[in-house]
Amino acid sequence: MVYYYRCYNVIDNNRGTYVKKINYKHLKRSLWAYHMNTGSCNACDIEILATLMPRYDAERFGIKLVGSPRHADVLLVTGTVTEKIKDKILQVYQQVPKPKLVMIIGSCGATKGVFHESYAMAGPLDTLLPVDVYVPGCPPRPEAIIYGVAKAWEKLEEL
Amino acid sequence: MDAQSIVTIIQEKLGSHLQASRLKVKNYHAGIIRLHLWISIDREAFHFTVNTLKSLGRLHLSTAMAYKEYEDRIELIYPFALKMDDAHYSEFMIIASVDIPHNDLTIRTITDIVPGALFMEREVMEMLGIVIEDIPDSRRLFTPSSLQDGYFPLRNGKNKEDSK
Amino acid sequence: MKSDIVYPLNIGPVHPAFKEPIKFTFRIEGEQVAGVDIDFGYTHRGIEKIALERNYIQIIYLLERVCGICSFSHPLAYCLAIEDVAEIQVPDRARYIRTIIGELERLHSHLLWTGIAAHEIGFDTLFMYTWNIREKVLDCLEEFTGNRINYGMLTIGGVRRDITPENSETITRMLEYYMELYDRASEILLDDLTLRARTEGIGILSREQAEMFCAVGPTARGSGLLKDVRIDYPVNAYYDIPWLNPISPRDIGKEPIGDVYDRMAVRVLEIKQSLNVIQFCMENLPEGDINSGEGAVKIINKLKKLEGEGIGRYEAPRGEVCHYVILDNQEHPIQLKVKAPTYSNGFTWIPMLTNIEIADIPIVIASIDPCVACADRMTFIRKDGAKERYSWDYLHQKSIQKYKRSANQ
């Protein structure tokens, strides 16, 4: 129900003239995430899936992977941003309704990591998008990913 | 089949087209050997060579094509894995290299013999600028279409015309 | 159902059916796929170019990041290639440890694939079940190597960590756990009517096509082509195992036709094979050194004085990994070529996807266990900063125009 209520608060600053302050307090606990791979090596992706599986079971906190960015609260980004996918990540970011959070999973999204000399990179991601939570590690453990989501809650409560 | 007889068969089949060959054998216990055979071939005879190798057994193009770049030529390396009988541990590597001069960077496609080579040939075309003749699909594989024409990412700049 | 209306269907590069960016453009006639075009390159990281600026030891850790799932196979193929050039003898104990870690990786990769395949056909209970039992092998790998995914286990001329007696107890418990579960799991995967209905007879790749397109790994073996680097070519400790044979669907009494079910059967049987190989290696683990005892600096100094070409092959969970290295008296190789299994298998998608229904697309694509990160390891460099960009809409429009043209012809 939190999500349903929030839909009415979304304001399109580009088109609408009606501006209302978004109440971030309604976005608590049940975070829905959209996962996007922007050139990662799969390690972070399988750790995100492992986080949702019965052993770690992040769904008990209401965290869920959704199939469309339009349903998401959090954009989980893995991987360094390559030149060829740069446009796509910007488009996906536009499609996520406000208020939205961006989380980087893995070291290479935050700093380009081991690929730092490569010419094929458009990243790191925080030069393109506002990033809220960084989860370092190559790949981060599922516990670290859950901790990162908990940090995102804390951030939302402060807003 | 021992190493020397395999080499003899290939030498007989290829005849004068074989410019040079080098054999490297590593012996494991109980008759298990690992065999790597390097051969260099004329550009004109390369298509014939691949055809000949295919008639000997199960031919598999094992890795993406490597290359060595010199001032006047590019040496293109095709590593094949050839299996001639059904026995275990009988597959061996034939690493065929072809010299292509810089002033005429063309080679005939082998996709009519080994269709699985298409991705590798497309990669060679976009990365090294070697023109593959009669290739069924000449689009780029990895690089974006915005990359300017006449620029080939993996050349190392040893050729003088490149550095101009 | 066939119809006269032909329309294009773009899937990807960002789509929930694939965990990785890859773009398929299908030409659809009614409900059936009439043609397919694949666009790679979205996860291009330029690894082969970066490798030329790193030294021989650093490259091992770089190559672990080619693919997070085959993070043992790629550095192993590279180490085998370097050992081939430098004629380094690997101690017996290291050979066995390499085999054990490699098989543990195969086990976790095949369980992972089973889950993904179940998810693609909508059987989420099985997805949860296999990913849950997969945690056991990850625990085992973590105890051996210190990490769940990127192990950092290899060095040139051996391995970096030994298997202690406590570790062997863990592995015995893990083997017992899987042996107990295997019968139940294989019954679900191979005999379940719903699964059979969704996988039998679709995505067919004939033996001739598999041979023609140089298919590797379970994709080739599912079509009845007995191709397995572990058995065709001596690596690690596999040639010490007398009973090792390539798996084919004939082992469960079915003549292979190369459909999705056959590829699944091969992977399920390989889970059992991996368990047996691990057991054999643990029982016959020789005593001795695990590496040459030389430090990284000494190894680099030795390789700095060498010239030559080497080749390293290994059977990754998805198929053959092959690395070609050229050394030329420098601190880094002057060339490193990486061939990942999906690079070979990518071509087999075209015969598999032709003439299937739209609803079967996800499972057929998943059936070769694609690893786009591996296939896109290549590089591109921009000479200047100029960038030309096409929007998604523009590309979509372009592709519609193209197919309108081809439909009119």
Side-chain angles (χ1 to χ4, degrees):
Chain A
M1 288 315 285
V2 171
Y3 178 74
Y4 183 70
Y5 181 61
R6 190 165 61 79
C7 282
Y8 289 98
N9 280 330
V10 175
I11 294 152
D12 190 340
N13 282 329
N14 296 328
R15 284 186 216 149
T17 49
Y18 173 63
V19 177
K20 187 180 163 191
K21 193 173 184 293
I22 300 162
N23 194 346
Y24 284 90
K25 293 222 162 125
H26 297 299
L27 180 68
K28 279 207 306 194
R29 300 299 182 243
S30 284
L31 293 177
W32 284 13
Y34 180 75
H35 162 229
M36 179 158 172
N37 178 333
T38 61
S40 117
C41 69
N42 272 347
C44 299
D45 312 68
I46 58 177
E47 287 296 65
I48 288 173
L49 281 179
T51 311
L52 299 165
M53 289 302 122
R55 163 79 72 90
Y56 297 98
D57 199 13
E59 278 189 26
R60 69 199 143 125
F61 306 121
I63 302 168
K64 186 182 162 190
L65 276 191
V66 289
S68 163
R70 295 183 199 281
H71 300 161
D73 304 313
V74 183
L75 187 59
L76 295 177
V77 183
T78 58
T80 67
V81 184
T82 59
E83 284 279 358
K84 208 168 174 177
I85 207 153
K86 191 177 151 190
D87 310 339
K88 313 290 184 290
I89 176 78
L90 294 175
Q91 275 179 4
V92 167
Y93 181 75
Q94 295 290 330
Q95 288 172 359
V96 181
K98 289 175 190 170
K100 55 193 161 191
L101 286 175
V102 179
M103 271 176 78
I104 292 181
I105 309 290
S107 298
C108 62
T111 64
K112 296 203 240 177
V114 65
F115 310 113
H116 63 92
E117 305 120 306
S118 173
Y119 293 91
M121 299 296 157
L125 188 68
D126 49 9
T127 59
L128 302 171
L129 297 177
V131 177
D132 301 289
V133 182
Y134 298 86
V135 183
C138 190
R141 294 180 57 86
E143 290 93 331
I145 296 173
I146 296 176
Y147 181 71
V149 177
K151 282 281 166 196
W153 289 335
E154 281 176 22
K155 176 153 186 173
L156 283 171
E157 278 173 18
E158 281 167 17
L159 286 170
Chain B
M1 207 182 290
D2 66 305
Q4 205 51 52
S5 59
I6 289 169
V7 178
T8 321
I9 292 173
I10 287 169
Q11 272 170 348
E12 269 174 24
K13 289 268 181 187
L14 294 181
S16 60
H17 298 303
L18 190 66
Q19 289 176 333
S21 68
R22 180 162 64 89
L23 182 69
K24 188 168 167 185
V25 184
K26 189 171 177 192
N27 267 305
Y28 296 94
H29 69 85
I32 293 169
I33 54 162
R34 189 184 66 190
L35 195 153
H36 292 175
L37 177 66
W38 275 267
I39 52 176
S40 3
I41 313 280
D42 251 353
R43 180 166 54 157
E44 281 69 33
F46 186 67
H47 199 265
F48 165 77
T49 307
V50 179
N51 238 334
T52 314
L53 292 178
K54 198 179 180 185
S55 67
L56 291 176
R58 191 182 81 196
L59 190 68
H60 169 65
L61 188 54
S62 193
T63 178
M65 285 165 223
Y67 63 92
K68 278 197 261 184
E69 205 177 346
Y70 302 98
E71 275 180 22
D72 56 337
R73 62 195 159 95
I74 295 178
E75 188 184 334
L76 200 58
I77 301 166
Y78 292 71
F80 292 105
L82 184 64
K83 193 167 160 76
M84 284 163 68
D85 50 24
D86 288 336
H88 288 185
Y89 308 108
S90 65
E91 197 170 52
F92 54 92
M93 306 296 297
I94 296 183
I95 298 129
S97 59
V98 193
D99 277 344
I100 302 170
H102 254 304
N103 50 24
D104 180 24
L105 284 175
T106 53
I107 187 166
R108 193 174 156 195
T109 180
I110 57 162
T111 47
D112 49 345
I113 311 167
V114 188
L118 182 61
F119 280 177
M120 297 160 200
E121 292 195 340
R122 279 170 69 183
E123 196 185 312
V124 165
M125 272 179 85
E126 65 179 350
M127 294 293 170
L128 286 173
I130 295 173
V131 178
I132 312 276
E133 289 168 350
D134 306 331
I135 187 166
D137 181 356
S138 61
R139 290 173 305 160
R140 291 164 184 272
L141 180 63
F142 288 126
T143 54
S145 51
S146 59
L147 204 74
Q148 49 182 253
D149 284 345
Y151 173 61
F152 306 109
L154 281 186
R155 287 223 193 140
N156 60 9
K158 277 193 179 166
N159 180 258
K160 278 168 197 157
E161 281 180 23
D162 283 356
S163 53
K164 268 179 196 170
Chain C
M1 193 189 127
K2 278 219 168 191
S3 113
D4 293 339
I5 306 162
V6 180
Y7 63 95
L9 176 69
N10 271 329
I11 301 186
V14 183
H15 191 272
F18 323 131
K19 295 288 168 248
E20 295 170 90
I22 184 166
K23 187 174 146 199
F24 287 86
T25 309
F26 296 98
R27 200 168 79 241
I28 307 284
E29 285 177 3
E31 268 287 298
Q32 280 196 320
V33 178
V36 56
D37 187 24
I38 309 163
D39 186 13
F40 282 108
Y42 292 94
T43 59
H44 240 32
R45 282 152 296 159
I47 284 175
E48 286 175 354
K49 191 79 181 174
I50 302 171
L52 306 186
E53 293 164 19
R54 305 272 170 98
N55 70 37
Y56 294 107
I57 298 291
Q58 287 169 333
I59 291 175
I60 299 175
Y61 305 102
L62 175 70
L63 288 176
E64 282 189 348
R65 273 88 183 165
V66 168
C67 169
I69 307 172
C70 328
S71 61
F72 186 77
S73 310
H74 280 282
L76 177 60
Y78 164 76
C79 287
L80 290 170
I82 292 283
E83 284 153 13
D84 180 28
V85 187
E87 314 237 332
I88 297 170
Q89 195 69 38
V90 181
D92 278 348
R93 192 175 172 85
R95 282 200 296 126
Y96 273 75
I97 294 174
R98 282 179 176 189
T99 313
I100 292 169
I101 303 291
E103 290 303 318
L104 286 172
E105 185 188 79
R106 192 180 318 277
L107 196 57
H108 106 70
S109 176
H110 282 347
L111 287 170
L112 180 148
W113 178 83
T114 316
I116 296 285
H119 176 66
E120 299 290 8
I121 59 173
F123 194 173
D124 269 6
T125 317
L126 184 60
F127 177 41
M128 296 280 172
Y129 178 73
T130 50
W131 277 64
N132 189 29
I133 60 176
R134 175 178 163 267
E135 291 290 335
K136 191 88 178 171
V137 59
L138 288 180
D139 284 350
C140 204
L141 278 166
E142 193 181 352
E143 194 178 322
F144 280 16
T145 67
N147 206 352
R148 283 161 57 93
I149 308 286
N150 291 333
Y151 319 117
M153 190 69 179
L154 282 161
T155 186
I156 291 165
V159 290
R160 290 177 56 216
R161 295 183 191 87
D162 203 354
I163 289 182
T164 58
E166 296 89 69
N167 292 154
S168 20
E169 277 172 32
T170 317
I171 218 160
T172 320
R173 278 202 303 276
M174 183 210 78
L175 287 173
E176 279 168 10
Y177 175 79
Y178 281 118
M179 290 292 188
E180 263 175 39
L181 283 172
Y182 178 79
D183 289 337
R184 173 88 183 110
S186 69
E187 191 191 325
I188 297 171
L189 286 160
L190 299 178
D191 299 336
D192 185 81
L193 284 177
T194 325
L195 262 170
R196 288 189 82 129
R198 283 303 306 274
T199 54
E200 273 184 344
I202 62 159
I204 290 177
L205 179 77
S206 69
R207 192 184 186 283
E208 290 72 33
Q209 282 167 334
E211 198 169 340
M212 225 163 63
F213 294 130
C214 297
V216 291
T219 310
R221 293 197 283 279
S223 301
L225 186 64
L226 298 178
K227 199 166 176 178
D228 190 333
V229 179
R230 294 176 291 170
I231 291 137
D232 291 336
Y233 184 82
V235 284
N236 288 358
Y238 294 111
Y239 53 85
D240 291 348
I241 307 171
W243 43 261
L244 197 67
N245 277 313
I247 296 284
S248 89
R250 287 191 193 94
D251 299 354
I252 51 166
K254 182 180 180 298
E255 195 53 35
I257 57 166
D259 58 0
V260 178
Y261 180 82
D262 284 345
R263 291 192 277 281
M264 185 162 79
V266 168
R267 291 199 177 89
V268 173
L269 293 170
E270 279 187 11
I271 291 175
K272 182 90 174 175
Q273 191 191 35
S274 285
L275 293 172
N276 290 336
V277 170
I278 296 168
Q279 197 162 26
F280 177 91
C281 290
M282 288 308 290
E283 280 164 8
N284 296 289
L285 191 64
E287 293 297 319
D289 292 334
I290 53 163
N291 53 35
S292 59
E294 289 170 342
V297 180
K298 219 170 176 182
I299 294 172
I300 293 168
N301 279 333
K302 208 158 88 183
L303 293 171
K304 226 158 80 174
K305 293 169 198 131
L306 281 175
E307 212 177 324
E309 297 166 32
I311 199 159
R313 299 171 81 205
Y314 177 66
E315 182 84 7
R318 290 162 175 69
E320 178 204 36
V321 167
C322 186
H323 285 220
Y324 195 84
V325 190
I326 303 177
L327 270 61
D328 189 18
N329 298 320
Q330 286 183 34
E331 254 187 49
H332 51 82
I334 60 161
Q335 170 132 154
L336 171 66
K337 272 303 204 189
V338 179
K339 205 261 340 201
T342 308
Y343 192 75
S344 296
N345 283 342
F347 215 86
T348 61
W349 266 324
I350 292 164
M352 275 183 208
L353 286 166
T354 311
N355 294 329
I356 61 163
E357 287 183 14
I358 296 177
D360 292 330
I361 288 173
I363 180 66
V364 173
I365 287 175
S367 73
I368 72 159
D369 200 354
C371 179
V372 181
C374 286
D376 281 358
R377 85 272 170 259
M378 272 293 307
T379 180
F380 74 86
I381 314 156
R382 283 170 191 281
K383 205 170 192 179
D384 50 14
K387 283 164 202 154
E388 204 178 315
R389 218 177 280 145
Y390 295 129
S391 72
W392 181 241
D393 293 340
Y394 176 78
L395 283 173
H396 189 72
Q397 282 299 323
K398 277 294 249 192
S399 111
I400 291 174
Q401 283 163 9
K402 185 181 165 192
Y403 282 109
K404 270 185 185 160
R405 276 201 304 276
S406 53
N408 288 338
Q409 277 163 10

